Amino acid sequence: MQLAYLGILLSLWALCSSLDNGLGKTPPMGWMTWERYRCNIDCKTDPENCIGEHLIKSIADKMADGGWRELGYVYISIDDCWSLKKRDSKGRLQPDPERFPSGMKALADYVHARGLKLGIYGDLGNYTCGGYPGTTLDTIQIDAETFASWEVDMLKFDGCYSNSSEKALGYPKMSQALNSTGRPILYSCSWPAYEGGLPPKVNYTFLGSICNLWRNYDDVQDSWDSVLDIIEWFACNEDALQPAAGPGRWNDPDMLITGDFGLSYEQSKSQLAIWAILAAPLIMSNDLRSISQEAKELLQNRLLIYIDQDSLGKQGRRVAKVSSLEVWMRELVDEQYAVAVLNKGTDGIPKRFFMSLADLNITQSALGYKLYDVFEKEYVGIVKPETNIEMNINPTGVVMLFVCPASDRLHRL
Ligand code: GLA
């Protein structure tokens, strides 16, 4: 009797505490201000690039008419430094009126009219990381209500200036507060990144019940070193991270920096390939108003996006290391796979590499497999599991293959 009672209580608790917004069934895609625009609030001398409504509107226009939205890039998110340094007389956060003269609701309307969704940034703590007003345990409810009243669609909830106990209370509390507004708001939690990103300090099962995505590790910077560091951290900790991911709950290795200054063409391909293998959110931080055609084509690669957005939602992993080469692999629906071979070498020589699907335990299809080269955008041919596939992988670059059973028609592409 008592046990049954306890069971009911626990189920009720799970019902109330879990994030029930039905969002993020595939990794979220979009654009965010932080990596490229940081805390640039100088709208007087740098009106094109400061954090303000002009930047958001002009990027939203590009997302809507530059072919981005149709591919799934729908979230446009304002990161830190959007607010005034003081709450209003009713205790609500308020945007800086000089930089957001029309207000957030009008900006959300503008974004929605273009078929996009608006994201905003908050921080569980006394201040945001950039020193703007934070959300304390006492202001979680009012802030969730304010965001919902503006018709915001996503919240990135950072964790500067709070301790571990406050985080343990505050992240679930914000999840419930967002739920209670009745507005579906994609909830991105930076909590694990502040706790070292790993169990036992981070409980990924619980996190998956209260957040749609979460930052696990350090901020991406505009450099290949930074991307490599993130890749290595995810590879080393994949046993803990892989089971955490799935529809509605994603690990977030941080923003895509393709189209910025720090990555070469090959390195941009590598970041995209590994992010897709990791079932990572594809959130760009770049200037879509002036992006090169080359970078645009990489970010708009349909097969890459198809792989990232695969409905099985299973995160892939690094399966082998051979000198400077790494083999990464992700299982997709219907016995399809994505395979990426990354060449971390910097000696200048494209590396030749031979590998069969049988080496990767891809052997089920009696008729063999069709291979597509994701970045060359070409059909390679049909191979048997034991066929040796030859690849040439450029330094700091990647070769990525999409593998599907030969019997399967490619009707979803
Ligand atoms: C932290 C986060 C970044 C960004 C900044 C804003 O560093 O990890 O992604 O949001 O704060 O100040």
Side-chain angles (χ1 to χ4, degrees), residues 34 79-80 121 129-130 156 158 194 215 219 254-255:
W34 183 253
D79 206 280
D80 204 350
Y121 168 98
C129 300
K156 170 174 170 178
D158 212 342
Y194 286 87
R215 286 281 310 285
D219 291 1
D254 211 5
M255 290 160 265

Side-chain angles (χ1 to χ4, degrees), residues 9-323:
L9 269 185
L10 276 178
S11 334
L12 276 178
W13 180 83
L15 263 182
C16 306
S17 72
S18 66
L19 182 67
D20 184 21
N21 61 16
L23 299 174
K25 291 292 177 215
T26 62
M29 294 173 63
W31 181 94
M32 186 172 270
T33 51
W34 183 253
E35 190 282 330
R36 177 67 183 251
Y37 301 91
R38 305 284 169 165
C39 197
N40 178 357
I41 56 168
D42 183 5
C43 289
K44 299 230 160 52
T45 66
D46 196 8
E48 288 302 309
N49 301 302
C50 64
I51 305 302
E53 67 181 43
H54 173 71
L55 174 65
I56 301 303
K57 285 179 172 177
S58 58
I59 298 287
D61 290 347
K62 287 292 167 199
M63 286 173 78
D65 66 26
W68 301 96
R69 178 189 60 202
E70 291 72 14
L71 290 165
Y73 291 99
V74 293
Y75 286 97
I76 174 163
S77 293
I78 311 167
D79 206 280
D80 204 350
C81 309
W82 57 267
S83 79
L84 272 185
K85 291 254 167 147
K86 268 192 135 156
R87 288 173 177 264
D88 73 7
S89 58
K90 295 191 171 124
R92 294 172 303 197
L93 293 169
Q94 47 184 342
D96 182 322
E98 283 182 14
R99 293 181 285 121
F100 294 89
S102 321
M104 282 298 174
K105 170 68 171 69
L107 186 56
D109 289 347
Y110 187 96
V111 163
H112 294 154
R114 281 150 189 78
L116 302 168
K117 295 175 185 298
L118 184 66
I120 205 156
Y121 168 98
D123 182 284
L124 175 63
N126 294 330
Y127 303 97
T128 70
C129 300
Y132 287 79
T135 303
T136 57
L137 294 174
D138 296 338
T139 51
I140 284 177
Q141 191 64 34
I142 191 173
D143 289 356
E145 282 163 17
T146 305
F147 298 146
S149 76
W150 291 339
E151 298 186 7
V152 156
D153 307 288
M154 172 182 177
L155 172 66
K156 170 174 170 178
F157 204 33
D158 212 342
C160 275
Y161 303 107
S162 57
N163 62 33
S164 295
S165 334
E166 286 159 344
K167 287 186 177 67
L169 291 171
Y171 279 97
K173 192 170 179 195
M174 178 55 93
S175 182
Q176 282 171 24
L178 292 174
N179 255 354
S180 74
T181 67
R183 184 173 178 81
I185 298 179
L186 189 80
Y187 184 34
S188 167
C189 301
S190 301
W191 187 10
Y194 286 87
E195 304 290 355
L198 294 173
K201 277 192 102 181
V202 179
N203 178 341
Y204 278 110
T205 310
F206 179 63
L207 203 66
S209 73
I210 63 160
C211 309
N212 297 116
L213 63 157
W214 44 80
R215 286 281 310 285
N216 315 70
Y217 186 60
D218 290 352
D219 291 1
V220 70
Q221 311 295 338
D222 196 9
S223 76
W224 176 234
D225 278 354
S226 164
V227 170
L228 268 184
D229 180 50
I230 293 172
I231 290 175
E232 187 59 23
W233 189 84
F234 273 78
C236 290
N237 298 304
E238 57 198 5
D239 286 345
L241 302 175
Q242 189 196 27
R249 27 186 291 172
W250 308 102
N251 294 304
D252 179 6
D254 211 5
M255 290 160 265
L256 296 172
I257 54 170
T258 296
D260 293 319
F261 309 101
L263 298 188
S264 69
Y265 181 68
E266 292 300 324
Q267 293 161 356
S268 297
K269 288 198 304 192
S270 297
Q271 189 193 19
L272 287 165
I274 303 302
W275 263 234
I277 295 273
L278 289 173
L282 300 180
I283 312 277
M284 309 176 277
S285 191
N286 51 18
D287 191 345
L288 297 181
R289 300 163 301 186
S290 61
I291 192 167
S292 70
Q293 191 55 29
E294 197 173 60
K296 184 172 176 181
E297 275 176 27
L298 285 180
L299 288 159
Q300 295 198 348
N301 184 304
R302 283 170 184 274
L303 191 46
L304 180 98
I305 293 170
Y306 173 85
I307 291 166
D308 180 77
Q309 297 287 297
D310 176 71
S311 60
L312 192 60
K314 193 168 171 187
Q315 181 170 322
R317 42 201 300 157
R318 182 167 74 188
V319 293
K321 273 172 94 167
V322 192
S323 68

Side-chain angles (χ1 to χ4, degrees), residues 311-353:
S311 60
L312 192 60
K314 193 168 171 187
Q315 181 170 322
R317 42 201 300 157
R318 182 167 74 188
V319 293
K321 273 172 94 167
V322 192
S323 68
S324 72
L325 299 178
E326 295 187 353
V327 183
W328 288 70
M329 176 176 159
R330 176 174 172 192
E331 185 189 345
L332 310 170
V333 281
D334 300 334
E335 291 173 24
Q336 303 175 116
Y337 299 87
V339 177
V341 184
L342 172 69
N343 178 7
K344 283 183 164 175
T346 51
D347 54 7
I349 311 172
K351 286 258 162 34
R352 287 177 76 218
F353 183 60

